[in-house]
Amino acid sequence: MTMSDRDTVPPAGPGGARDTGEPGAPGGEAAPARHGLARRTAATVAATAGLALIGAAAFGVWSDHHARQRPVTPAAAYRSAGSLWRDTPVDTLFPPVLDGRGAGPGGSDRTWTRVALAPDAGCDAALPADWRAVLAPTGCTRVLRATYTDATRSALVSVGLVFTPADGPAMATLRGRLPVPPGYGFADGQRGAWTVSVLPEAPVLVYAVSAFADGRPVAAPRPAGDAVRKDDTSAVAQAGLGYEAKGVADRIERALRTLAAPPTATPRATPEPPR
């Protein structure tokens, strides 16, 4: 007598489930083994990915540190200084109050307070024709202007920053060639003493021109260097307008040169590169 197919089915295991021996069948041994292997594989992949992310972050920190420690070349710092007009707060370029300690006649102290601030302007709008003609070969990017008064409010001093796209050698050709600068807040006929300098650290001209606060006219504005001489008996010199123009220009220029200087790297422990 031949056994039927039904008779070949194995008996049910514990709990009523038959052990067929097929992978994945209820009650079989292969299913738990396969699931355990999958969990271990997933854990290994996750751990590997986590280590990779940690290594990438560590390498990024190390790279950023070295980038910050890499010295900036003078040429790169010079070019970067050409954008200070856009990147620097106006109160840093033109502080509300300037300390003029020792800046007056005989080393007397001065204080200047900002009383007017012009919006940054294009060169055609802010500069007279004679200045634009001198700057034609170098170009001109932007002009910033402000006006200060002294503690007695007897003098006004307009100061300006003229930014150009030129390089150092081209800027050097401007020394001694620029005429009397314009005032901001007073007429040309009121200009008393003036000064212009070309910064060696940045493609910027710094100028200042002083005037009597009461608006009196001046026959001919004088270079500030002449108006501070003891033997100068002109009304401009006797009123100290040369000291006012020179003192304000010096302080604005000093701050700008500090901003334009290449940063100096501070020696510090260098992190080990990730392995």
Side-chain angles (χ1 to χ4, degrees):
M1 182 175 173
T2 304
M3 297 178 62
S4 67
D5 291 340
R6 183 180 58 217
D7 296 331
T8 65
V9 177
R18 290 185 174 86
D19 186 359
T20 66
E22 296 295 329
E29 298 295 333
R34 187 181 65 181
H35 293 163
L37 176 62
R39 285 194 295 270
R40 289 194 297 273
T41 302
T44 301
V45 171
T48 302
L51 290 174
L53 290 174
I54 293 172
F59 184 79
V61 171
W62 180 80
S63 299
D64 290 345
H65 175 85
H66 276 264
R68 288 193 298 269
Q69 294 301 306
R70 190 178 301 121
V72 178
T73 66
Y78 190 92
R79 290 191 299 271
S80 179
S83 63
L84 286 172
W85 67 269
R86 181 178 58 240
D87 301 333
T88 309
V90 68
D91 284 351
T92 301
L93 296 172
F94 296 131
V97 177
L98 295 174
D99 181 2
R101 192 171 308 170
S108 59
D109 295 338
R110 286 284 193 270
T111 300
W112 298 280
T113 302
R114 194 181 70 200
V115 293
L117 188 63
D120 64 273
C123 303
D124 289 346
L127 297 176
D130 52 358
W131 269 65
R132 296 198 304 270
V134 176
L135 292 173
T138 62
C140 177
T141 306
R142 213 69 179 165
V143 181
L144 308 183
R145 297 163 292 167
T147 297
Y148 289 82
T149 189
D150 66 324
T152 66
R153 294 190 173 269
S154 60
L156 295 174
V157 184
S158 281
V159 59
L161 304 176
V162 181
F163 290 80
T164 82
D167 59 15
M171 290 294 292
T173 65
L174 298 175
R175 291 191 175 94
R177 296 178 51 213
L178 290 156
V180 184
Y184 178 69
F186 50 86
D188 288 351
Q190 297 170 344
R191 295 176 296 183
W194 61 280
T195 181
V196 179
S197 60
V198 180
L199 266 62
E201 299 89 351
V204 184
L205 301 166
V206 179
Y207 71 76
V209 56
S210 59
F212 291 105
D214 60 10
R216 78 184 75 170
V218 175
R222 299 181 59 75
D226 293 343
V228 299
R229 293 171 52 181
K230 293 182 179 179
D231 60 352
D232 192 325
T233 59
S234 66
V236 167
Q238 295 301 305
L241 292 186
Y243 287 96
E244 307 294 346
K246 187 175 183 301
V248 170
D250 285 350
R251 278 141 188 84
I252 297 299
E253 177 181 338
R254 192 180 306 161
L256 191 62
R257 293 178 73 168
T258 300
L259 290 169
T264 55
T266 303
R268 63 182 67 180
T270 303
E272 289 292 330
R275 301 181 186 277

